[in-house]
Amino acid sequence: MVTVLDDEYVLQMDDIPPFSWLAKSHERIMNCSIRSEDKIIIHAKGNAFTYSLISKNISGRNMEVDEFYENTEEGLHIIISTGGDEENSINFLKSFGGKCMVVSGGGQIKKIARGKGYEFISLPKGMPSRFMFPEIMGCISGLTDVEDKNDLSQDISKLSPASLSEENIAKSIAIKMMNKRPVIVYGERGYGFARKFFEDLLQNSGIISSIMSINQIDMIDDIGDGSVVIEVAKSKKQRFKNSLFMEIREDLSGAIYLLTLMSYISLYLSLLNERDFFLFDRMKE
């Protein structure tokens, strides 16, 4: 099949952001090098909240994820604010007096954290939070017992623009999803991944999708010819003819690979739909 994704100008996009960021996902996994036996409470919004949910599922640790900055129970509190100027995170940090560390790209929250003597860990600047999953998930995993060092370089290189569609699973899935309404279905421990794909499709491709659990989809007899089901689970059910599958692996490398695949798919859909993708965050996190 002849596709714009195999045009010369696309094949040469490897070194252009955001493709250049994704190509190095495996190299960008950050290790905070801090261990804690305390219960971990993560405070985050937006994409950082999604990455925290996924990290909770793969860590096996006693961990809570708080999107509304309401949890003040005893433990190690981690505030993740990618931009550093999100109002809820700043107000929480100002009033909090327990064990705490801050992960951020800078902003006001850095000054407050340093002023209160809290550990501060820097995130990259100039990169939208939806591409920051290797740094954030690597950091959270470094606080737990997850030390997965699998080499992802070959698997990720096969997803890059330089790889032709017939050999590139990300391009192949994007082509199958083109002009279809995505229905993202998640299985056990799959909500975080499904939420990430939902946001990627919306933010990178301008595509509005539906998201539901496998239990919900089991109650539907027919999704219609204009839709495509994307199942994010440990194993495939394949109830519908227009069905694609993304396997959940409960290890850090497997999670990073799946999130990288989702990002590539959404960007290829953007190219197929002739839509420009923006390289900034639309909301403060």
Side-chain angles (χ1 to χ4, degrees), residues 242-260:
N242 293 326
S243 178
L244 302 169
F245 175 63
M246 297 185 191
E247 182 183 6
I248 292 175
R249 279 173 38 200
E250 293 180 320
D251 58 86
L252 181 58
S253 295
I256 295 297
Y257 172 78
L258 182 52
L259 297 184
T260 304

Side-chain angles (χ1 to χ4, degrees), residues 27 30 35 38 44 57 69 72 91 97 114 119 121 134 145 163 173-174 179 186 205 215 226 228:
E27 298 176 10
M30 192 165 74
R35 291 287 188 273
D38 295 317
N57 286 337
Y69 292 87
T72 57
N91 291 339
R114 291 276 171 82
E119 180 83 23
I121 296 173
D145 300 322
S163 175
I173 291 175
N179 299 323
Y186 61 90
S205 317
N215 293 334
V228 57

